[in-house]
Amino acid sequence: MKIDQLKNQIANQVRHPFLAKFIADPVIDEDKLAILISIMDHTTLSPLKKEKYIITTMLVQIALDTHDLVTLTEDDDEQDTVRTRQLTVLAGDYYSGLYYYVLSQLNDIAMIRTLAGAIKEINELKMELYYKDVDSFQEFLTSLKKIESLLIQRVATYVQKTTINDMAGDWLLAKRLLQEKNSYQEGRFSPVMDLLVKRPDSAETGGQLVFNIEQLLHKHISNLETSVSQLPIHFNWLKAYIHSAIYQKFYKTNIAEEG
């Protein structure tokens, strides 16, 4: 299956003329889409089911990501801000409802339950991460990794193709940490970095935390490259994709900064 074709199909599914007037189009995570394609390519499902499972899983991911954009601000009493927040919540609910609609047309109750269960687990993990104190930095990373990868891993388990679950979790964690670090350094809001700086047991400044995250990423990416290289030969397309993504998002950025 072609990643661009599926991305266009997903974009067409989530496009809504009313929402487009007030909020930005949702971001489609190409890395998660690529992992899902690789998982489904190695199942014996019909082409239609493969496509529908990928699209509905990505609709759920988009819904979760959209709800994450709903944040309280100092301008909460201003009409435009309130409307934007309300429409963002509405958009997240709309995207979530789309997955149910697509699967209900296939009469696929088992997959609906799988995705609904994953949504529940992810929301519970987010509540624990953002609103409760975690005991250690490692526990924090473990929770963040689960949030990033649990949806895909539940789908992989459902279709009995879990070979790349661990590698996918490592890659998605590294990608999220890199995104959060870059956002923080560029002066944009980074919920993960903000949480880490404000941890009760943290004595680190923002600069020290960025340095520690960079050191962690260097080690993590090195281990990830090894695990990707060790994937079975039938995952060659995914291996090439992730090696390219690592270079573009990690090494190329570091080279540019050092230059």
Side-chain angles (χ1 to χ4, degrees):
M1 288 179 282
K2 301 291 185 180
I3 190 168
D4 289 339
Q5 292 175 356
L6 282 167
K7 188 175 178 181
N8 287 336
Q9 287 189 54
I10 295 165
N12 289 333
Q13 285 269 9
V14 299
R15 189 171 293 118
H16 191 288
F18 177 76
L19 293 173
K21 292 179 182 179
F22 302 102
I23 61 176
D25 290 336
V27 175
I28 299 171
D29 191 318
E30 288 193 9
D31 293 333
K32 292 180 179 179
L33 178 56
I35 293 170
L36 283 168
I37 290 173
S38 193
I39 290 170
M40 293 301 165
D41 272 350
H42 297 97
T43 69
T44 57
L45 296 169
S46 69
L48 177 63
K49 271 204 168 183
K50 289 179 182 180
E51 182 180 290
K52 295 301 183 184
Y53 280 6
I54 292 170
I55 290 174
T56 52
T57 303
M58 289 305 300
L59 289 173
V60 170
Q61 185 64 60
I62 290 169
L64 291 166
D65 293 342
T66 300
H67 281 148
D68 283 347
L69 297 175
V70 183
T71 57
L72 295 174
T73 70
E74 294 179 357
D75 300 324
D76 226 20
D77 57 336
E78 294 188 7
Q79 184 175 352
D80 288 346
T81 302
V82 172
R83 182 176 63 180
T84 299
R85 292 185 64 248
Q86 290 173 337
L87 286 173
T88 303
V89 172
L90 178 64
D93 292 343
Y94 172 68
Y95 304 145
S96 183
L98 284 175
Y99 98 82
Y100 182 87
Y101 173 71
V102 173
L103 289 178
S104 66
Q105 289 180 312
L106 294 176
N107 196 29
D108 201 327
I109 304 302
M111 186 59 167
I112 290 174
R113 287 174 177 163
T114 296
L115 293 178
I119 292 170
K120 178 177 180 291
E121 286 185 70
I122 291 169
N123 284 331
E124 288 173 350
L125 285 166
K126 286 179 179 179
M127 291 291 290
E128 291 178 3
L129 187 68
Y130 294 131
Y131 299 107
K132 296 181 182 179
D133 293 335
V134 291
D135 294 332
S136 67
F137 180 60
Q138 186 56 52
E139 184 181 342
F140 184 94
L141 291 179
T142 299
S143 295
L144 186 61
K145 180 178 177 179
K146 287 180 180 178
I147 288 169
E148 288 299 306
S149 59
L150 189 142
L151 176 62
I152 287 176
Q153 291 176 345
R154 288 288 179 272
V155 172
T157 299
Y158 178 73
V159 298
Q160 299 181 352
K161 294 294 176 182
T162 59
T163 305
I164 60 175
N165 270 4
D166 290 340
M167 182 281 300
D170 289 338
W171 166 235
L172 295 174
L173 173 63
K175 177 187 166 185
R176 178 65 185 273
L177 288 174
L178 186 61
Q179 289 174 336
E180 295 287 338
K181 178 187 79 75
N182 290 341
S183 292
Y184 185 81
Q185 289 180 307
E186 293 166 7
R188 294 180 283 115
F189 178 62
S190 165
V192 169
M193 296 294 287
D194 189 57
L195 278 172
L196 290 173
V197 170
K198 293 179 179 178
R199 279 177 58 219
D201 61 336
S202 176
E204 297 174 308
T205 64
Q208 289 171 328
L209 185 57
V210 166
F211 177 79
N212 290 339
I213 293 292
E214 287 175 342
Q215 296 302 303
L216 174 67
L217 277 170
H218 275 287
K219 181 178 179 181
H220 193 75
I221 290 293
S222 178
N223 293 336
L224 177 63
E225 286 180 307
T226 300
S227 63
V228 170
S229 298
Q230 293 172 348
L231 285 174
I233 192 170
H234 54 269
F235 285 110
N236 275 354
W237 176 82
L238 183 64
K239 290 161 70 172
Y241 176 92
I242 293 181
H243 280 307
S244 176
I246 288 173
Y247 173 76
Q248 292 293 329
K249 296 174 184 178
F250 185 75
Y251 290 122
K252 190 175 181 180
T253 302
N254 282 356
I255 290 170
E257 290 175 352
E258 291 170 2

